Amino acid sequence: MVSELTVLFRRRRTWAMLLALAAVPVLIAVAVRLATSPVAPGRGPPFLDRVTQNGLFVAITSMVVCIPLFLPLTIGVVAGDTIAGEAGLGTLRYLLVAPAGRVRLLIVKFAGAAVFCLAATLTVAVSGAAIGAALFPIGPVALLSGDTIGVGESVLRSLLIAGYVTISLLGLSAIGLFISTLTEVPVGAMAATIVVSVVAQVLDALPQLDWLHPWLFSHYWLDFADLLRQPLEWTSFGNNALLQGGYLLVFGALAYGRFVTKDILS
Amino acid sequence: MTSATPSVELAIETRGLTKRFGHQTAVDGIDLAVPRGAVFGFLGPNGSGKTTSIRMLLGLATATSGDIAVLGQEMPGRLREVLPRVGALVEGPAFYPFLSGAANLRRLDTADPGASSATRAARVNRALERVGLTHAASKKVRAYSLGMKQRLGIANALLVPRELLVLDEPTNGLDPQGTREVRSLVRSLAAEGTTVFVSSHLLAEVEQMCTHAAVMSAGSLVAQGTLDDLRRVGQAHVRVRTPDVADARRVLAGLGLVADRVDANRTAADRSAADRTATDRFGAPGDPNADGLLSAPLADGAVAAETIVAALVADGVRVRGFSVVGASLEERFVALTGEGFDVVQ
Ligand SMILES: Nc1ncnc2c1ncn2[C@@H]1O[C@H](COP(=O)(O)OP(=O)(O)O)[C@@H](O)[C@H]1O
Ligand SMILES: [Mg+2]
């Protein structure tokens, strides 16, 4: 497992993706700072209008901006690469004759992708907090429910949101892992995973498919606003965790079924 | 296992091992028997099924049918017990280009749950030293030459002491110096008691480092045994060219030699068909003046060549050509696998 993370985080590609994610809050903060007219409430991404009053909202706004595309993009690259990347390099056969054990390898690979999800969301959160603190005043945060919390409490809430987003991405990671067992071409698995995440969001936006929406892994992705209420509203957190757990089980089982019997011919 | 329990005397044993890809049979019912302690050459032209067989031995691919035992245990059923005792190089080396040579070995070593992390650094250094890569240990594999990668692949197989090494074409991409080094490495490993199973498409290589060999052709195992056994089958032959085929055959039989007609380079298999339609330069059968070519295996020291010629001439056989063709593994290999560069489909 340590070795898996070493390999993941010794790649320049991993750092490039994290760097790109860190750049998003910086871009947003600088753009808002340089704008002459204040942002009108209700325009632009949610929470954008609050950024000038409180720098802590940079992180939250950035999260909202990154969730639909940037985060799934990086997760798609990492999760799609898990097995297919090793197969493409040919190292998969050496891992298996070591013998790494096929189930053990799948679990370690998924855990690696999950750690990356956490690293990616924390990157956005930390970079957002840092640039927000640098460019805007920091103070007690007014919650959606009207209550006000202190800076310390608001940092906790930010971490909670990062946790929520990380969990949100686990379903997609499991899908990526499964797709990755189907091919020896990592780029194909990455692209397919990203396409799946886009399709899910498109379906989620079609009102005709109401019945399907609660089953889409992307359905609760943006519902972390509940964590900005007082008292904490855990319903969407629970629903989301349950849904992602379901995806993890189903696609984990599919990946297992596929990988355990697969002929490694690369 | 359908039949008797796997023998402990054999490092590798297969029964009717078969692998089909769609309609194509890549490995066709082979029965390998690799004795412990042997340096076993797995010889065959490109595409004859060597790598596919090795993948099945190592549990990377499942056999379509047949049984496998490695180190006396059933595969792939006992994979967890067997594979830590087996070092392997399969279808060329493969590494993470963005990691150094030493980091690659550490990574692959952690994949083996039985490998101790306390001794890891020392074992990696020792393996690198053994293949002469110490100076390139911290270099990224991206910057390695093919030969260096090949050496690193062998180093990976040597990370822990192994009972069996499976090396698939280990000298591919190596310069002559590297080839010699691999050969001496294999010899020293064998001297330590490791069984080495090495595949190659080069006869010379097998001849120089192996004690045993098996020959693959188009997915089938066509010969197997010690090198001496294989040479013995490919023994010397006397060849007689004469129009008096029947008389010559009789004389040779009197000397204890069993002669076969081998006109126009035909092999035994298609000779009878050819006889029926023969219109080649040896003439149709029945033409009393057309030459025929007889060949008879000549056991060592059985009959002297000059005795054979004298006997033939004394009997009035018109001897128009006579030769003794020596035995070589080369000849045997060509006879078994066919000549030329045709990739067997
Ligand atoms: N993944 C595959 N799919 C279909 N056919 C394959 C595959 N791998 C190998 N083959 C076929 O199996 C045969 C044996 O290949 P291989 O075992 O690689 O030969 P060798 O190692 O002796 O050169 C070849 O004819 C090859 O075309
Ligand atoms: Mg091969």
Side-chain angles (χ1 to χ4, degrees):
Chain A
M1 181 68 220
V2 174
S3 155
E4 178 61 33
L5 294 179
T6 315
V7 170
L8 182 59
F9 286 99
R10 278 223 206 148
R11 288 193 94 149
R12 239 177 264 160
R13 187 177 75 194
T14 308
W15 288 107
M17 291 191 300
L18 291 180
L19 217 63
L21 285 174
V24 170
V26 175
L27 267 177
I28 291 174
V30 170
V32 170
R33 178 79 196 172
L34 294 181
T36 42
S37 56
V39 183
R43 292 206 39 217
F47 309 111
L48 190 61
D49 53 315
R50 296 169 180 238
V51 164
T52 44
Q53 300 145 33
N54 195 330
L56 290 174
F57 275 101
V58 175
I60 295 165
T61 311
S62 310
M63 210 65 96
V64 175
V65 170
C66 287
I67 282 174
L69 188 61
F70 290 123
L71 281 172
L73 209 70
T74 57
I75 296 342
V77 168
V78 171
D81 197 48
T82 45
I83 301 295
E86 302 279 0
L89 285 176
T91 42
L92 183 55
R93 61 177 182 269
Y94 288 109
L95 290 176
L96 291 182
V97 302
R102 297 193 181 207
V103 178
R104 175 166 164 253
L105 188 63
L106 271 184
I107 292 172
V108 167
K109 282 290 180 186
F110 181 79
V115 168
F116 179 81
C117 291
L118 182 64
T121 49
L122 280 182
T123 301
V124 176
V126 170
S127 155
I131 193 77
L135 297 185
F136 303 103
I138 294 284
V141 175
L143 292 177
L144 298 180
S145 54
D147 304 84
T148 304
I149 55 171
V151 174
E153 167 90 28
S154 71
V155 167
L156 270 183
R157 296 278 174 126
S158 298
L159 290 180
L160 209 55
I161 289 174
Y164 181 97
V165 176
T166 303
I167 291 172
S168 292
L169 294 169
L170 292 183
L172 181 62
S173 302
I175 294 172
L177 182 72
F178 169 60
I179 294 176
S180 197
T181 61
L182 301 178
T183 172
E184 280 149 27
V185 188
V187 180
M190 296 176 196
T193 309
I194 294 163
V195 166
V196 165
S197 89
V198 172
V199 168
Q201 292 178 78
V202 169
L203 295 180
D204 203 17
L206 295 177
Q208 290 83 352
L209 296 175
D210 259 349
W211 55 272
L212 184 64
H213 292 171
W215 300 100
L216 293 169
F217 60 89
S218 58
H219 187 61
Y220 300 105
W221 274 6
L222 290 169
D223 291 355
F224 59 76
D226 283 355
L227 298 175
L228 295 176
R229 291 181 208 287
Q230 192 80 311
L232 267 173
E233 171 61 56
W234 288 98
T235 325
S236 52
F237 194 100
N239 285 343
N240 184 38
L242 210 62
L243 181 70
Q244 301 300 332
Y247 269 90
L248 208 163
L249 278 183
V250 170
F251 283 90
L254 284 175
Y256 169 85
R258 165 71 187 157
F259 189 58
V260 163
T261 55
K262 189 185 184 188
D263 277 355
I264 308 303
L265 299 171
S266 60
Chain B
M1 282 272 159
T2 49
S3 42
T5 48
S7 164
V8 281
E9 302 300 315
L10 295 175
I12 298 174
E13 184 180 19
T14 71
R15 296 235 181 89
L17 184 62
T18 301
K19 180 73 183 179
R20 272 190 280 279
F21 294 111
H23 294 298
Q24 189 192 5
T25 305
V27 177
D28 195 359
I30 67 173
D31 300 322
L32 274 174
V34 179
R36 289 216 187 214
V39 178
F40 194 100
F42 194 40
L43 192 58
N46 292 327
S48 57
K50 302 183 298 294
T51 302
T52 306
S53 305
I54 289 173
R55 284 183 197 283
M56 290 188 285
L57 293 179
L58 298 173
L60 289 172
T62 42
T64 307
S65 63
D67 299 316
I68 305 171
V70 176
L71 297 174
Q73 306 214 33
E74 193 203 329
M75 282 290 281
R78 308 295 291 275
L79 186 142
R80 277 160 195 270
E81 290 104 284
V82 173
L83 287 185
R85 297 148 67 197
V86 180
L89 179 72
V90 190
E91 184 101 307
F95 293 102
Y96 306 91
F98 49 90
L99 294 182
S100 71
N104 264 289
L105 292 190
R106 283 197 294 271
R107 154 76 167 167
L108 291 174
D109 193 57
T110 53
D112 175 0
S116 144
S117 58
T119 57
R120 182 162 298 138
R123 285 184 291 111
V124 165
N125 288 339
R126 175 85 189 98
L128 286 169
E129 192 185 317
R130 243 187 142 161
V131 298
L133 275 181
T134 306
H135 63 285
S138 54
K139 207 171 173 176
K140 294 248 189 299
V141 167
R142 197 196 312 280
Y144 274 32
S145 70
L146 177 58
M148 290 163 79
K149 285 184 198 156
Q150 195 77 23
R151 288 161 191 247
L152 191 61
I154 297 173
N156 173 48
L158 300 177
L159 278 173
V160 290
R162 314 279 194 184
E163 287 170 54
L164 170 66
L165 275 182
V166 177
L167 304 175
D168 191 10
E169 314 243 2
T171 56
N172 253 5
L174 289 182
D175 50 21
Q177 169 67 22
T179 309
R180 272 194 298 280
E181 284 172 19
V182 166
R183 230 168 2 211
S184 80
L185 188 64
V186 165
R187 276 201 210 97
S188 72
L189 289 163
E192 292 163 22
T194 308
T195 309
V196 185
F197 183 81
V198 51
S199 86
S200 176
H201 63 274
L202 298 173
L203 174 77
E205 206 170 276
V206 169
E207 230 177 337
Q208 288 180 48
M209 61 182 169
C210 298
T211 57
H212 294 65
V215 182
M216 289 286 284
S217 174
S220 300
L221 196 61
V222 289
Q224 173 168 230
T226 65
L227 283 206
D228 290 340
D229 283 344
L230 293 174
R231 270 198 206 97
R232 205 165 299 131
V233 178
Q235 65 194 155
H237 285 251
V238 283
R239 291 185 168 224
V240 182
R241 169 172 296 184
T242 173
D244 308 319
V245 171
D247 287 341
R249 198 180 295 220
R250 184 173 41 73
V251 174
L252 289 170
L255 294 168
L257 302 174
V258 183
D260 257 327
R261 192 163 171 165
V262 291
D263 292 9
N265 295 331
R266 288 203 181 82
T267 59
D270 57 11
R271 193 176 315 123
S272 57
D275 278 348
R276 271 178 261 119
T277 60
T279 50
D280 54 29
R281 65 195 168 91
F282 289 100
D287 176 351
N289 286 313
D291 280 353
L293 190 61
L294 285 176
S295 175
L298 185 63
D300 280 345
V303 197
E306 58 272 21
T307 315
I308 300 171
V309 186
L312 287 168
V313 173
D315 229 61
V317 174
R318 289 171 287 172
V319 178
R320 289 180 180 164
F322 184 88
S323 61
V324 178
V325 186
S328 80
L329 267 185
E330 172 95 48
E331 204 177 57
R332 175 97 172 112
F333 183 50
V334 170
L336 288 169
T337 62
E339 212 151 355
F341 294 97
D342 297 342
V343 172
V344 190
Q345 284 306 307

